[in-house]
Amino acid sequence: MTEIVFWHWWVAGLLLLALEAFFPGAVFLWMGVAAMATGLVSWAVPGLGWQWELALFSALAIASFFAYKRFRPAAKPTDQPHLNRRGAAYIGRRLTLDTTIVNGVSRIRIDDTQWRITGPDLPAGTAVVVKAIDGATLVVEPA
């Protein structure tokens, strides 16, 4: 069996850091940091043995991941809470029906998009309020 030397750990650390670039989520990042630190210890303490190096890598990887989870900065509140959830932004909005709601289903144009709506049967021209969203369908009721 070949001996594991310090630069093996550094190469493994660089590969793990490269993986983090393709699969972000901070898991590979901290494993890469742990591998680099294990390489540094392996360089400073020659003849440590692969069992101890593997145990050190495991402990550092787990400890660094949980330290990151504990001390990472909190998510900042956004000024656009409905970004990527356009339908949720329409809840509470008052609209006028372009077409009649028949059998509880119709369509309505809002801004630049045509939406499917559900609600009680109502004639065209009736004012409605969006009360909820069900997937890509707006749930309306008379205003």
Side-chain angles (χ1 to χ4, degrees):
M1 182 173 153
T2 60
E3 182 181 348
I4 298 177
V5 292
F6 66 93
W7 63 268
H8 289 126
W9 287 108
W10 290 347
V11 170
L14 289 174
L15 290 174
L16 288 166
L17 291 175
L19 271 176
E20 179 68 25
F22 294 106
F23 305 105
V27 175
F28 292 117
L29 171 71
W30 297 110
M31 289 173 53
V33 169
M36 298 289 240
T38 302
L40 185 65
V41 170
S42 177
W43 174 74
V45 184
L48 189 60
W50 68 269
Q51 298 92 340
W52 287 105
E53 291 175 5
L54 189 61
L56 176 65
F57 168 72
S58 300
L60 287 173
I62 292 169
S64 63
F65 178 74
F66 283 113
Y68 163 73
K69 288 289 217 184
R70 171 83 167 88
F71 297 113
R72 72 177 170 203
K76 296 177 185 170
T78 178
D79 61 339
Q80 297 179 352
H82 298 298
L83 185 66
N84 296 328
R85 297 184 315 149
R86 283 182 66 193
Y90 294 131
I91 294 176
R93 188 166 172 181
R94 187 182 174 113
L95 307 166
T96 303
L97 292 177
D98 298 330
T99 58
T100 304
I101 299 179
V102 179
N103 296 327
V105 179
S106 185
R107 296 207 167 271
I108 194 167
R109 185 164 190 82
I110 305 173
D111 299 329
D112 62 347
T113 307
Q114 184 130 4
W115 289 85
R116 181 176 188 264
I117 58 172
T118 59
D121 290 352
L122 297 169
T126 305
V128 294
V129 175
V130 179
K131 285 297 178 184
I133 183 166
D134 182 21
T137 302
L138 301 177
V139 180
V140 298
E141 64 181 35

